[in-house]
Structures are given as C-alpha cells and as structure tokens.
Amino acid sequence: MSDQTTAIELFDQEPSTFTGDLLVYLVEEGHMQAAGFGAGGNRLLTKVQETGDFKGEKDQIFLLYPGLMTLDAQQTIAARKVLFVGLGKPDETANGRRERLRLAGGVIAKQAGAVKVKKVLVVLPGEYPLDTVEIAGCLSEGLLLGNYRFDLHKQAKDDDAPVRVERFFLHDGGLAAGAVREGLELGRILAEATCAARDMANQPGNCWTPAEFAEYAKKLGKKSRLTCTVFDKASLQKLRMGGILGVNQGSAQPPFLVILEYKRNKKRPTILLVGKGLTFDSGGISAKPPAGMEDMKCDMCGGAAVLAAMQAIAEIGVPGVNVVALVPATENLSGSAALKPGDVICHYGGKTAEIINTDAEGRLILADALAYGIKTYKPQAVIDVATLTGAVIIGLGHHYTGLLANNDQWAEQLIEAGARVGEPLWRLPLGPEYRKQIDSRIADMKNVGSDRSGGTIVAACYLQEFVGQTPWAHLDIAGTAWGFTEKSYIPKGPSGIGVRTLVDCLRQWRPIQSVDKNR
Ligand code: BES
Ligand code: ZN
Ligand code: ZN
C-alpha cells in the first residue's frame, strides 16, 4: 500500500569489494572475528578492539569511514562506511539467540537510516549457534522490520529525517548459500506481511474502511491462489449475522465479512483464523472519552494480522493444514440508527445477547464469525485475534498478548510460537465463575459483566459461547498491537503483532489429541 517494500538479496562476492554505502559485521562479545573481511580488515578489527570502545556487547555499535584513513595497502575496503554491531554473549536459549539477531537487524536499519545510506551489505556471523536458515531468516526480519516507515500522508520530505535503506544484501559469512537464501526469503515474506499489517493499522479510519479489507482480500486472492469470498450487507442479512449488523447500525460505511481460504489438500485438517476488523471504534452510543480516541483506528489490528498471515502463508506454504481466515469488518459509530444499551441482538446460529454497553462491540462481530466459521468449515482448531479489551493493558501492559484457550495443547502451541518469534503470550484462565458475570435476565447473555472485574476473561467467555468443543485460542492484542515493547525492529504505533506468531504456529502445527472441558 505504501509501496515501500525493501529489496533484500544475496551478495556472493568478497565483502571488501562491496561498493555500496555501508558494510556491516555482527560481532559476538569476546569473539572478535569478521568473516570475509580479509587480512587488512581483520587487522582493522584488532585496532578497533584496541580502542576499548567496542567489545561486541549487545547493541553496541562502532562506525568507521575507511576512505578517511589509510588502510592496509593490499586490502582496501570499497564500502564507504563500515559498521560493527555487537551481538553480546550468545544467549542460553535458541529463542534468545533468534531475538538477538532480529534486534541486531533493527539496530542496523536504524543506524543505516541515521547515516543516510541506501545500500547495505550485512555479513552473516558464520559461527553463530543457530541453524543457518534461522540466522538468515531472523536477521532479514529484523532488517526489514526495522527499516519500516509510514509516510503515505506526509507531503514534503524533511532533509534531516533519516532515510530508508533501499536495498539490503546478505553475505553468507561462510555459511551454506542455499540455506542463507532460504532463510532470507522466509524473513522477507514474514517481514513484508508484518509491514502490510502495520500499513493497514497506520491508515486512518477514513482511508482504511471495511470495504478496504474486502478489496485487499480480493487482490490477495487473485495474486496468491487463495479463494476469496466477501459477504456484503445483504448476504449478512440473509445469514442473520445480528452481531456484525448490529454494530454496523450506527455507521454510514457498509459492513463486510471477508473470507480467504488456503486449501492445498482436501485431506488436511482445517485451521480457522478470525480477526477483529473494527476500522474505527468510537464506542458507539456508550461513547469513549475523546482523549486518545484517534488511536481507535487500530481496532482492526486483529483483522490485519489475519489477512497478512494469509498473505505470508500463501507465499511460504504450510505443510500440514488448510487455513481459512475470516475478518468481520465494520465501524462502531453512533449514527441515529445505532445499537442502544438495552437492545437485544440475535447472533448467527440463534444465540441472543442483551447489549449493556455498545463499546463492547468486538465480541459481537467475532461471535458471528466464529459461529459461522466453525459450522461451515468444521475446523480442527480455531484462533481469534482481537484488540478486545482495555483490561488486558491493565493486566499485562504492552509486553504480553493475553491468551485464553479451552485446550491446553493448543494454548501451548501458541505460547511456543509466540516465544519463537519474539511475540510473547501470557495465558489467563476461563471458567464458569467468570461466565456467570454475563448472565442476562432477558437474553442468553449480556455483552458485558455487571462490574469491570476480570474484563479480559469475561470478554473471552462471551466468545467461548460460540466455539463449542472445538479447540480454540483467543489472542487479546489490545496492549501489543499498538505500542508493543519498544525494540529496534518494532516502531512506535502499530507493531504488526500476531502475523509472525500465526504463521509460525501453523507451520509447526501438531494434531491436537485431547479435548479439555470447562476451561
Ligand atoms: N476496542 C476496544 C478495546 C481496546 C482498548 C483496544 C484499548 C485497544 C486499546 C474495545 O472494543 C472496548 O472498547 N472494550 C471495552 C469493553 C468494556 C466496555 C467492557 C473496554 O475495554 O473498555
Ligand atoms: Zn469498543
Ligand atoms: Zn473495539
């Protein structure tokens, strides 16, 4: 959308011959070597070390301008600038080592932006204790995610603003080039999808409307061998999706239910993804306070994550499963026909709900999509992703996504995926004692509890009503979709969270054996 994808490719000559702007080496603490740097370069590295200013500590950087000094006569470095980036001491866990490379990638992108360079060669750390595909993958992710900018709506370029890198090159650093190429492609696809989700969220509500979700999915379907179906308002009415239609009542923008199917083999089990696509949440009649309301354009981050994950899945492929993604998309506004406190709605499938607070709208649109998706596609397992409750920010801050699930094995698979990709999840309980909080006198349930206690769990209990016994996991990303833990490769604003977790989880999918009850 912002048409800013950054190229990344393999560089198969001696790094010293790279004539681009910046040559980068990743150096582990206490392990000062730089593959492919040549004798002159290594002597330079020794000199760098002797300055005492660079030890290879985490995120430490050291920038040199070789053209400004006399180097070893036989071994000159063609690049205009050379950057050393510290990796610190190797982390104990593989997940820690993965994250370290992503962070280093982000540091490189930031530093490259600060010194305004366009072409950057990064030499891979040849002895880093991780599989080669992963070394190249994590580093590429960090580089491209760290290089992200959103300036679609900015008119003039400020000369002092950091520029974006146009092209990254990776040198294998002595590692197998085939595996490096594979990792580079994986990292590129995941980063591009994540940046696509960030773009959708950065777009203001008047630009990214429910119709935009439908358009994006249709284009993706054509481009990527995904089957796309879009239900418009009339179809939603025929299907009696009272949740989506009810929330949409106060808006002039028509609602859509967007469906993308990745199906490569009929015999494979299906996994259902559902993402909240609320393109602007004013709270409706139960209006939100004005301060900070502009950030509620991000209430579609779950839908963005799910569509972007499908984009990556179509490119990478997932071996074991078929995947169906549903995005219910609407605004929540307070036009004269808007849903009112006290109204009763009827969801797809017949369950009714008394509306107490029109700001608790996410659960209403997700309920229809979950019920419809489970009935239609009979999935083995379901994941929904939603900026669902402010309460999750009170509980977990901006550092962990809230996870609620009716199945331990499924929850575990998601926790593992999140840990692998640097998007941690923290599980919260479910249970009848929380479900009781949404008992209604006049309908099957009400849309909020009688008080604010356990808000994230109570919201999940509402969704649980629509999943039956199907293994289901709910990701409440209200705290992490916007303002996620500050890191070199995570910008301020939308993080694109969920995309990499979903793809990783599906790629590593293991059949779920047991069905846990009453969780
Ligand atoms: N979209 C909000 C949740 C949210 C809050 C997302 C902060 C991102 C940042 C959701 O629709 C909402 O308004 N939830 C209410 C529920 C309440 C009325 C029970 C909330 O959390 O206050
Ligand atoms: Zn709301
Ligand atoms: Zn909302």
Side-chain angles (χ1 to χ4, degrees):
M1 177 199 319
S2 55
D3 196 26
Q4 286 190 345
T5 50
T6 312
I8 183 162
E9 61 193 71
L10 213 61
F11 183 80
D12 57 10
Q13 283 145 48
E14 273 296 291
S16 58
T17 66
F18 177 66
T19 54
D21 307 303
L22 183 68
L23 171 60
V24 186
Y25 282 97
L26 297 162
V27 180
E28 278 181 73
E29 196 172 338
H31 201 258
M32 295 287 269
Q33 272 184 8
F37 209 23
N42 277 323
R43 269 197 289 286
L44 175 64
L45 193 58
T46 311
K47 284 189 186 149
V48 168
Q49 204 173 1
E50 279 165 11
T51 64
D53 291 346
F54 181 78
K55 299 191 180 72
E57 287 163 5
K58 256 189 206 173
D59 295 345
Q60 205 180 19
I61 54 171
F62 196 96
L63 185 64
L64 288 168
Y65 291 64
L68 300 183
M69 41 196 165
T70 317
L71 270 181
D72 188 298
Q74 293 111 33
Q75 187 77 39
T76 51
I77 292 163
R80 273 186 287 139
K81 300 171 189 180
V82 177
L83 177 70
F84 295 98
V85 177
L87 288 172
K89 296 208 172 74
D91 279 83
E92 278 168 22
T93 64
N95 283 341
R97 297 196 284 272
R98 292 182 178 106
E99 180 71 350
R100 193 98 285 294
L101 289 175
R102 282 185 215 106
L103 290 167
V107 167
I108 294 167
K110 290 279 155 320
Q111 192 59 31
V115 294
K116 300 190 192 316
V117 294
K118 301 238 158 112
K119 288 199 178 81
V120 176
L121 171 63
V122 184
V123 181
L124 294 187
E127 290 171 30
Y128 197 70
L130 202 63
D131 168 72
T132 301
V133 176
E134 297 215 68
I135 293 178
C138 293
L139 187 70
S140 304
E141 266 178 43
L143 290 169
L144 298 176
L145 291 174
N147 197 37
Y148 177 80
R149 308 269 186 286
F150 185 82
D151 41 27
L152 198 65
H153 300 289
K154 280 201 168 159
Q155 216 182 24
K157 281 251 154 66
D158 174 357
D159 280 352
D160 286 337
V163 293
R164 289 171 71 254
V165 173
E166 281 169 5
R167 193 171 286 264
F168 286 108
F169 299 88
L170 292 190
H171 182 274
D172 63 33
L175 296 165
V180 171
R181 191 171 283 116
E182 188 185 334
L184 179 153
E185 273 303 290
L186 260 173
R188 178 189 64 76
I189 293 166
L190 289 168
E192 279 178 9
T194 304
C195 291
R198 289 177 182 173
D199 276 351
M200 295 177 205
N202 263 316
Q203 280 284 35
N206 59 335
C207 294
W208 193 262
T209 59
E212 293 294 324
F213 262 125
E215 281 314 304
Y216 193 91
K218 278 185 201 161
K219 278 192 197 135
L220 207 56
K222 282 204 192 103
K223 201 169 75 182
S224 320
R225 230 164 45 97
L226 297 169
T227 310
C228 177
T229 313
V230 173
F231 290 142
D232 61 8
K233 188 169 174 179
S235 318
L236 296 174
Q237 281 164 336
K238 266 189 215 125
L239 289 164
R240 296 174 168 276
M241 294 205 177
I244 304 175
L245 291 164
V247 174
N248 182 254
Q249 277 171 213
S251 162
Q253 296 282 347
F256 292 97
L257 177 62
V258 178
I259 308 177
L260 275 177
E261 294 172 56
Y262 166 90
K263 205 176 206 173
R264 295 291 180 267
N265 183 338
K266 270 190 191 153
K267 291 190 192 128
R268 291 181 190 168
T270 295
I271 307 295
L272 179 70
L273 308 179
V274 178
K276 174 177 173 182
L278 219 295
T279 59
F280 187 74
D281 183 11
S282 71
I285 297 295
S286 318
K288 286 184 180 298
M293 204 205 267
E294 66 278 11
D295 289 349
M296 279 302 135
K297 68 177 184 177
C298 84
D299 213 14
M300 34 54 71
C301 283
V306 159
L307 281 200
M310 292 305 277
Q311 171 179 326
I313 285 165
E315 274 197 78
I316 299 170
V318 285
V321 291
N322 295 319
V323 190
V324 177
L326 300 189
V327 179
T330 174
E331 296 178 324
N332 184 23
L333 294 180
S334 46
S336 59
L339 209 58
K340 306 174 292 296
D343 287 358
V344 172
I345 61 161
C346 182
H347 281 294
Y348 174 85
K351 287 193 174 165
T352 61
E354 180 188 6
I355 305 305
I356 303 296
N357 187 323
T358 63
D359 196 12
E361 83 300 334
R363 63 201 77 182
L364 307 182
I365 68 170
L366 291 170
D368 282 347
L370 285 166
Y372 175 81
I374 288 172
K375 176 131 191 269
T376 311
Y377 299 98
K378 302 184 178 41
Q380 262 265 327
V382 184
I383 308 171
D384 78 74
V385 191
T387 46
L388 204 63
T389 65
V392 80
I393 310 177
I394 306 297
L396 300 177
H398 292 280
H399 310 300
Y400 278 77
T401 289
L403 165 68
L404 298 102
N406 63 358
N407 182 290
D408 291 348
Q409 289 182 14
W410 193 218
E412 206 42 52
Q413 291 193 38
L414 275 148
I415 290 170
E416 284 172 15
R420 271 192 300 267
V421 305
E423 298 182 344
L425 306 165
W426 194 262
R427 190 172 180 188
L428 299 169
L430 288 163
E433 57 280 36
Y434 294 101
R435 166 62 184 82
K436 213 165 159 331
Q437 291 179 227
I438 51 170
D439 282 348
S440 162
R441 274 191 307 110
I442 66 155
D444 295 335
M445 63 200 105
K446 55 186 181 183
N447 79 327
V448 295
S450 316
D451 59 28
R452 295 161 69 89
S453 66
T456 303
I457 303 171
V458 172
C461 286
Y462 190 98
L463 301 181
Q464 193 177 12
E465 288 292 310
F466 299 88
V467 300
Q469 293 303 309
T470 308
W472 156 76
H474 160 60
L475 272 53
D476 193 331
I477 58 167
T480 49
W482 190 279
F484 182 40
T485 317
E486 203 177 332
K487 306 187 201 184
S488 60
Y489 69 92
I490 303 286
K492 289 198 166 64
S495 59
I497 202 149
V499 178
R500 291 176 305 115
T501 300
L502 289 174
V503 177
D504 188 88
C505 176
L506 295 174
R507 291 185 74 218
Q508 309 286 338
W509 184 78
R510 303 186 293 276
I512 297 160
Q513 257 100 48
S514 73
V515 174
D516 308 337
K517 297 209 178 80
N518 293 327
R519 293 267 339 188

